[in-house]
Amino acid sequence: MDYTEVSNSIRMMMKAQGIDDMYIDKEETLYYDESGNIKHLIVKDGKLNANPDTVFVLGGVQADDIISLEELKTALGKNLEKEIKSTKDLKGTFIEILRKDNFRKILQIIQDKGWHIHFCIVQVFYYGFVDIIDSISGLECNPFAFKAELYKVLKRNPNTTISIFKKYKYPNVGTKYIKNFLSELIILIDGVIAEDAKKYRLNPLLVFLKNSLEKAKEQKGLIFIQNETTHEWVGNFVQFYRQQILSFPKKTLMFDEEKQVMSQIAEDNIIIEGKTPDNYSFKESESDAMIQVCDYVVSILRKYMIFLDRLEPEVDADIQNFDENQMNNYKLLNRILADSLNYNPLFVHFVACKYTVAKYYKYMQKYGGYRANE
């Protein structure tokens, strides 16, 4: 399939965000692994197939050099005969893994080598709702803010959300059910507005969102949440691999072997400017130290995003309670993230609630010394 137009559009979007050509076209090698790939987000037998906190991460490190398996295992104090895996080494929540020696050791390798972390992070539950906002007229002025507000509302009681969406076969809402579907969303929003009122607070964005949903009842359709696969809120994650290939035609991309992804990418038969791109490949993690480093990186990032996706006072309180070891490791992580962002702003890509992303930048600045390039 010819993806030339899509690739050019992605490039134009990057440049529209102020990204210089040098970041897009720099010839360098990116290594990848994934974490949190649930294949798709669906309602089956009345239940969602994943936790509402599910985060998908595709990312890893940019490196000008590599290390051997023996060097990696020695640095981590591991048996040379066994494959290292973050699932064994970094068990627990983000707070818990901050205490682990190999959390620090893997980041120390990255810092000492002068490598950089790159990623695409997707809050899957959030991603399942964004098409609602994109279907409503009048919300084009600040779509990410309204998506974030709706996400907060729908995540408050996931079981209620699942029940409503199942009833209307989301994202295949029949035209005759649009008013009823929107009315149920409005009821959920009203509940939040009422709770805020008890605390003498008013959220203008939420009030505007409610009014826009009321007006949307008169729309002829909700284009992005109709005529889609019933009960499939999010399709497969191959699109994020494809986006890397289309975004970085001049970089060398080394992905971990994922049979489903490899098969679908092959079926795509990607063509750009009349040529099949040859800058990407899939490598077996068991025999590749760089992919194993990426395994640790994406596991840390996934748990970190779940940690951040809470009320800011809760996150602040947990950070203030870090012991010395946790704080040192947290600062190390944020220094590397800050350095990576300064090295190439394209190494950071979120499909996530803007409030969660804002916390990511806030703590990176506070604990990593991040300063934007002038």
Side-chain angles (χ1 to χ4, degrees), residues 112-147:
D112 292 346
K113 287 287 188 179
W115 298 341
H116 301 96
I117 288 176
H118 66 90
F119 61 78
C120 170
I121 288 178
V122 183
Q123 283 182 314
V124 181
F125 204 61
Y126 167 88
Y127 191 44
F129 302 141
V130 294
D131 285 342
I132 296 175
I133 298 300
D134 290 333
S135 298
I136 306 298
S137 299
L139 299 179
E140 299 87 355
C141 59
N142 198 357
F144 294 110
F146 293 117
K147 289 172 183 178

Side-chain angles (χ1 to χ4, degrees), residues 192-215:
V192 177
I193 292 174
E195 285 189 24
D196 285 346
K198 292 177 182 178
K199 301 172 184 176
Y200 303 100
R201 295 188 310 207
L202 176 66
N203 184 338
L205 280 173
L206 208 52
V207 174
F208 190 87
L209 176 59
K210 172 191 171 181
N211 293 337
S212 296
L213 294 183
E214 287 283 7
K215 294 177 182 177

Side-chain angles (χ1 to χ4, degrees), residues 77-110:
K78 295 294 183 180
N79 187 321
L80 296 180
E81 303 302 318
K82 297 181 180 179
E83 181 183 3
I84 60 173
K85 295 291 290 183
S86 65
T87 51
K88 297 178 181 178
D89 234 8
L90 296 178
K91 288 183 179 179
T93 65
F94 181 72
I95 292 176
E96 291 167 335
I97 67 174
L98 275 175
R99 295 192 178 98
K100 297 183 181 291
D101 285 343
N102 281 338
F103 182 101
R104 173 183 53 79
K105 288 178 180 178
I106 201 74
L107 293 179
Q108 198 66 58
I109 292 171
I110 293 171

Side-chain angles (χ1 to χ4, degrees), residues 135 164-183 216-231:
S135 298
I164 293 171
F165 282 38
K166 179 177 180 293
K167 183 195 304 185
Y168 295 103
K169 300 182 179 181
Y170 182 89
N172 187 22
V173 181
T175 302
K176 64 181 179 180
Y177 298 117
I178 286 176
K179 289 185 179 181
N180 291 340
F181 174 68
L182 294 177
S183 292
K217 291 180 183 179
E218 305 306 319
Q219 289 183 202
K220 293 182 179 180
L222 301 176
I223 184 170
F224 297 114
I225 58 171
Q226 296 188 275
N227 303 314
E228 300 293 337
T229 303
T230 298
H231 302 320

Side-chain angles (χ1 to χ4, degrees), residues 303-322:
K303 293 182 179 187
Y304 184 37
M305 284 302 292
I306 294 171
F307 172 78
L308 292 178
D309 189 28
R310 298 175 296 147
L311 295 176
E312 193 164 316
E314 295 176 6
V315 180
D316 282 333
D318 280 338
I319 293 175
Q320 294 307 312
N321 286 327
F322 285 169

